[in-house]
Amino acid sequence: MMQITARARARSSARGAVEGLPGLDPGGILGPVKKPLIIVESPTKARTIKKFLPARYAVKASVGHVRDLPKSTLGVDVEHDFTPKYLTIKGKGDVIKELRGAVKGATDVYLATDPDREGEAIAWHLAELLKLPEPKRIELHEITKEAALAALKHPHVIDMGRVNAQQARRILDRLVGYKISPLLWSKVRSGLSAGRVQSVAVKLIVDREREIEAFVPKEYWTITAFLEKARQDDASFTADLVSHRGEKLEIGGGEQAQAIARALEGAAYRVSSIKRREVRRNPPAPFTTSTLQQEASRRLKMRVRRAMQVAQSLYEGVDLGASEGTVGLITYMRTDSTRISDQARDAAREFIAGTYGEQFHGTTRHRVREGAQDAHEAIRPTSVLRTPERVAGLLRRDELRLYTMIWERFVASQMAAALFDQTIVDVAAAEYGFRTTGTVMRFAGFTRVYEETREEDAATKGRVRLPDLNEGEPLECRKLEPKQHFTEPPPRYTEAALVKALEDNGIGRPSTYSTIVETIQARGYVMQQERRFVPTPIGAAVNDLLVEHFPKIVNLDFTARMEGDLDRVAEGHEDWIGLLRRFYGPFESELEEAQEKLPRLELRDEPTDEVCPACGRPMVIKHGRFGKFISCSGYPECKTTKPIVKETGAACPKCGGAIVERRSKKGRVFYGCGNYPKCDFISWDAVVPERCPVCGSHVIAKTRRGGSPQLQCAADRDHDVAPPVSATSS
């Protein structure tokens, strides 16, 4: 019997020992088979890994965090080195019981939580809770069989620098939130909260709104000449007035514009100079978390939170059918690095050369941004051979749209620069100078695959084809067009612009941008109008109080320095408890002073003439996360509410009823008929009272990227519906 057992053990050990990977417990013949156990956070990730790893591995999910600070109390012992009091998260009992059972039957335990500070902290909490004597930490930067097997060969210990950085961030946020929030409840209104990073984001939005309110538009004029080569009607182009007697010219009013137009009457136009040069446009870097969120917002109109949810599903794994099974399609999506691996670079080169030609492969090495943690690669497809066309039938709509964007951006980042021939033509007329710029693409380069989304004006500027011209050549002016303009205030933040501002100012990190954007809306401090952030009255009031009494909390430089300090903790260069001490001393003094000096702020609801149909009390206007609404003044006893109907002055094109502004369940503004549900007309763009002068269809105000609304015929966008601008002084 002993001889049989020894042979069985030898066979079992041989089957399990593959290239340095752990094998089965040799006791499989005599008792329950023990397996190496891999613990991840996500059930989806667990299912993906289980499908492609050998059956000798058990894979379980913790379903996110298993321990956290208590919800109802501070949970931090400030007097004893800020010791946190961690509790098992409510509802996790069955998960933990299952994990403990799995650990008992495991030969080894591998903690494969996400490869960032949050994931490191989850791994540490699991090790503490499950009492693992020698936990093995592995990092999966992509969910593929090759990456998982490679990680299992090189486990390491839990990185306590990362863990302590996450603990310090969590405790800092808890101290700010639990110390300031009760003060706001007593002085302003119950239910309010203050966050260390969210308050800075709100300040950015409030400051921008006040810039806009204080902005004074300045009038200016442009004059455009419609020119053509003599006796060649098909060789026309336009040029803008730029100089007078060789000096830069600025036109401040209509009278000046008209005087210039009169001075140019009968003037002879000729080409005074032609300059030609080559212009290179280098490919964009592959995506980081921030640039992915920005481009998804601009290009796909996808909210930051949604973009990260979809990216998470692409990272954790998608079933590609019998050919490949379940596999992660992109690398880890929380990163601030543009670095890619040599293997990925080589695979991209081979793909580009084989698909587009060797001349399309580039040699650009994208620099990693100064101050980046550079802990992971950029976001890229796990295999460049999985083109969007190959996976199109296997992905949901948003998954395919985001994956396509990630794949195209990565491939483009490894391609050659685009080359343009740029021609700058100066035209002289009397004492005035006009200029036009024409750009013709000579080599498509990376634009064969992808072009970064730009503001509309910037994207089209200079893309003009010019006729063949020679210096000294006479031109004919068919028309001079003076046009009035006004300078515009800085635009309100979109989600994309806010994420960029946070990154540029060193506020937050890749894993926090989405949470910041969602939190400030959920708290009712800001709302979105036409996809741009506007502070609510309560958000502006709370911001002003924090600026006055807690200047460091809402100071951009202070918050950015704190992020740098947390980075040093993660790198093992700074003690996390010392960091907390340095913060808490001054903060406690500010808190005590604010408790004495902070005035009680009364935020009154706006009265209306309406009476609540349910209880007879007056109805008032309140502010919510999606804007104003009418509510019973008896809230919370009476919860009657109704939307504020805002008429646009336009008539419904279907039934003639009034077009009113409405909001969807998710807060997005749309325009519908006031006779709903009898009439189901809706439009995502504002409907204006004017009708198309060409076809009589209704006209919409289309908001272009980065610009003011432009009128457009709903039936045919090419119809000219813009009212003419008079060339007279206002």
Side-chain angles (χ1 to χ4, degrees), residues 455-485:
E455 305 297 352
E456 184 163 317
D457 292 344
T460 57
K461 187 176 182 180
R463 305 289 183 84
V464 179
R465 282 191 172 273
L466 298 174
D468 290 331
L469 298 168
N470 298 299
E471 289 191 10
E473 183 174 358
L475 300 169
E476 293 183 8
C477 179
R478 293 300 185 190
K479 182 175 70 170
L480 271 183
E481 183 180 76
K483 187 175 287 188
Q484 183 187 40
H485 308 270

Side-chain angles (χ1 to χ4, degrees), residues 120-439:
E120 206 74 25
I122 293 174
W124 177 71
H125 283 298
L126 284 168
E128 293 284 306
L129 194 62
L130 301 176
K131 296 180 170 58
L132 302 178
E134 295 181 1
K136 296 181 178 181
R137 176 78 168 109
I138 60 173
E139 296 184 13
L140 301 178
H141 297 274
E142 57 184 70
I143 311 300
T144 60
K145 182 177 181 180
E146 297 76 16
L149 293 175
L152 286 165
K153 292 179 186 177
H154 303 97
H156 56 81
V157 298
I158 292 172
D159 186 337
M160 288 308 298
R162 282 187 183 178
V163 173
N164 290 336
Q166 194 276 340
Q167 287 195 98
R169 178 187 291 279
R170 187 77 181 91
I171 292 171
L172 282 168
D173 292 342
R174 176 56 64 98
L175 290 172
V176 171
Y178 270 62
K179 293 290 186 178
I180 296 182
S181 295
L183 193 59
L184 296 177
W185 301 342
S186 63
K187 301 292 187 179
V188 185
R189 192 171 74 188
S190 61
L192 298 177
S193 71
R196 184 179 60 86
V197 179
Q198 77 182 43
S199 297
V200 178
V202 172
K203 184 177 186 298
L204 285 171
I205 295 169
V206 171
D207 288 350
R208 176 59 57 87
E209 191 67 19
R210 286 175 178 162
E211 276 187 77
I212 294 170
E213 291 170 355
F215 182 80
V216 178
K218 183 180 178 182
E219 180 186 7
Y220 70 98
W221 287 69
T222 58
I223 297 179
T224 303
F226 290 75
L227 305 169
E228 63 186 27
K229 296 182 68 170
R231 296 178 296 281
Q232 292 189 34
D233 294 339
D234 60 342
S236 60
F237 62 99
T238 62
D240 295 324
L241 180 62
V242 294
S243 65
H244 178 239
R245 294 178 179 174
E247 299 293 328
K248 182 180 178 182
L249 177 63
E250 293 183 358
I251 308 173
E255 291 182 2
Q256 183 185 1
Q258 290 291 354
I260 294 171
R262 287 193 297 270
L264 286 167
E265 288 177 3
Y269 289 76
R270 64 177 179 82
V271 177
S272 58
S273 72
I274 300 176
K275 297 175 183 175
R276 294 183 175 90
R277 62 172 182 165
E278 179 185 271
V279 176
R280 293 172 59 90
R281 272 181 58 199
N282 290 320
F287 282 127
T288 63
T289 302
S290 168
T291 55
L292 175 69
Q293 292 172 351
Q294 292 173 50
E295 190 72 347
S297 177
R298 288 190 296 256
R299 181 183 289 254
L300 307 180
K301 297 293 188 289
M302 194 179 286
R303 294 190 62 175
V304 166
R305 180 182 182 184
R306 177 62 181 157
M308 294 310 292
Q309 288 173 339
V310 176
Q312 182 89 32
S313 70
L314 293 173
Y315 163 72
E316 290 183 345
V318 175
D319 189 352
L320 299 181
S323 60
E324 293 190 80
T326 302
V327 64
L329 294 185
I330 65 170
T331 53
Y332 191 55
M333 65 286 160
R334 295 187 183 96
T335 176
D336 58 5
S337 176
T338 53
R339 171 177 53 84
I340 62 170
S341 68
D342 291 338
Q343 296 93 326
R345 182 176 289 106
D346 293 343
R349 174 172 189 147
E350 186 176 341
F351 175 84
I352 292 166
T355 306
Y356 306 107
E358 185 64 40
Q359 72 274 24
F360 278 90
H361 179 261
T363 57
T364 302
R365 293 273 181 143
H366 300 281
R367 283 187 177 183
V368 177
R369 180 178 58 86
E370 186 177 350
Q373 296 175 37
D374 196 24
H376 320 290
E377 281 189 69
I379 303 169
R380 61 168 176 82
T382 52
S383 171
V384 73
L385 299 179
R386 292 192 194 97
T387 63
E389 292 75 21
R390 276 189 58 189
V391 299
L394 305 170
L395 301 182
R396 292 187 287 268
R397 178 176 179 270
D398 280 352
E399 289 176 336
L400 180 59
R401 293 166 72 215
L402 195 69
Y403 179 74
T404 299
M405 194 175 77
I406 292 169
W407 186 92
E408 289 178 348
R409 175 81 166 228
F410 167 68
V411 172
S413 74
Q414 302 306 301
M415 294 178 75
L419 301 179
F420 299 85
D421 288 328
Q422 186 182 76
T423 304
I424 302 172
V425 177
D426 287 318
V427 176
E431 298 178 333
Y432 295 92
F434 292 77
R435 175 170 290 179
T436 187
T437 301
T439 302

